[in-house]
Amino acid sequence: MALDHNVQRSLFAADALLPTGWARNVLVQWDGAGRIFAVTADATAPQGTPVAPGPLLPGMPNLHSHAFQRAFAGLTEYRAESEDSFWSWRNLMYRFAARITPESLEAIATWLYVEMLEAGYTSVCEFHYVHHDQDGTPYADDATLSQALLRAAQSAGIGITLLPVLYQTSGFGARPPRADQARFIRSTDNMLSLLERLAPVTQAQGAVLGLAPHSLRAVPPDSLTAAVQGLTALNPQAPIHIHIAEQTQEVDDCIAWSGQRPVQWLLDHAPVDKRWCLVHATHMTPDEYAAGARTGAVAGICPTTEANLGDGIFDMPLWLQHGGRWGVGSDSHACVNAAEELLMLEYTQRLSLRQRNVLATATQPDVATAMTLQAVAGGAQAAGRAVGGIAVGQLADMVALNAQHVALRDLPAHSMLSSHVFGSHRTSAIDSLWVAGVRRVSGGRHALHESAAQAFVAARSATIAPN
Ligand code: NGQ
Ligand code: ZN
């Protein structure tokens, strides 16, 4: 245990992005649990206060991650079928999932979380569905793979919301699971036992435990109802995440099964509210945009993965018009970089609307600033953790850019952020990052960078299937 006087409890920044916008000469102070108790603008730094090397930003929550998928990022970019699609990618992805072990998952996730921290994410929502041993039998300790992820988050020092995934069927109408989905399958009762088992473990490390019904394809209506009720009995505030309406095939199948589109069906049959994160929600009608936004649920947009998988484009202006909340996730981890997700999101809107600066707002004309504040607020809501920005009561999850980086030097603070997000630089402008007040990245590097990278490479080699 470090002695109290060695523990950092404050930081001064010449410029800081607060939930209300940019402020000058900001002193941030937090307690021993990493919770901010004072944010003072126009302050003078008390002697000895550490000073941020550039503009201070709120840490970005990553609201959607399948950690194991980092091991094959960039390795499915070849033609596997005459017309490759999301579904042919999924077949390849299942081959990697089949080979994951507790050891390889921990190594892959540890490195992934180190990368996330170096890239501006301070917390992660882990949508975790590979539960069982390779032949589909539960591990002797049924929480083995969940524990591997929790350990990885703890070693890297990233905040985590663990979302064990309920997965039961291969398609609408209770189609039996495929053989290559055997590692994912749990009964609803079994899932609720897992949650009970994990509740004290997650709490002990400051993690939040939620639930992820994988999708309407994978969870029949009765199970969805029972699981949400069971979770709510455990913790009425626990987050609930679901993949929804990502692919048009899924929409067509849902209509054939129920006469309704996925989002419409979900809103009619589940108590969707601000606890929920609707991951992707790509294919909605204008009525679904309006009704979905009104629930207060967060749209979990995963811009680079959605581009990588050919999902389609979420209509941000329509969602925002109805007061919709949103955040970003790196999902399959084809890209692990908070700024690049914002860039990709704004660019897809520009390409589809043939406009510029689509996500600027009346009060926040600077796109990178507007997007950062919205994505942090939405991401925090989806995480169910107090990670909603640099404000009293929130955890001190913060990122400092390097004002001496050539891309930033001598610019005003909002332009530094804009240059960081939209300037596409060969090297990162992130200097430091704090999670709950603990500095995890300095000089752009995490302390575990080398060792975690080595373990990752070994785990990846073991995971890549020999043709
Ligand atoms: C997943 N990923 O669970 O990893 C999914 C693919 C599915 C994304 N949707 C599998 N991006 O949806 O069936
Ligand atoms: Zn996903």
Side-chain angles (χ1 to χ4, degrees), residues 166 168-169 173-174 215-225 257 265:
L166 189 63
Q168 299 180 336
T169 60
S215 53
L216 297 180
R217 291 178 267 124
V219 181
D222 290 352
S223 301
L224 180 64
T225 305
W257 166 67
W265 189 94

Side-chain angles (χ1 to χ4, degrees), residues 11-29 36 38-43 55-59 363-364 368-374 376-377 387-392 394-399 413-414 417:
L11 180 67
F12 182 83
D15 297 278
L17 181 56
L18 309 182
T20 45
W22 286 98
R24 295 278 300 158
N25 297 321
V26 175
L27 178 66
V28 186
Q29 295 168 282
I36 298 174
V39 179
T40 317
D42 306 314
L56 191 67
L57 312 172
T363 49
Q364 209 46 266
T369 295
M371 292 184 85
T372 298
L373 289 175
Q374 291 180 34
V376 167
V387 292
I390 304 172
V392 171
Q394 302 296 302
L395 293 171
D397 281 17
M398 309 179 296
V399 178
H414 70 94
L417 174 56

Side-chain angles (χ1 to χ4, degrees), residues 64 66 68-69 86-87 89-90 93-94 127 129 167 181 214-215 217-218 243 246 250 279-280 302 305-306 309 311 331-332:
H64 193 65
H66 308 290
F68 76 92
Q69 295 181 9
F86 173 90
W87 305 103
W89 167 83
R90 193 176 76 156
M93 182 269 278
Y94 280 176
F127 197 108
Y129 62 89
Y167 204 113
Q181 295 168 332
H214 180 276
S215 53
R217 291 178 267 124
H243 290 130
E246 180 177 12
E250 178 182 12
V279 182
H280 308 305
C302 306
T305 292
E306 289 160 13
L309 298 180
D311 287 345
D331 190 352
S332 68

Side-chain angles (χ1 to χ4, degrees), residues 49 67 168 206 255 335 384 416 454:
T49 305
Q168 299 180 336
I255 293 171
C335 164
M416 290 197 200
Q454 267 184 36

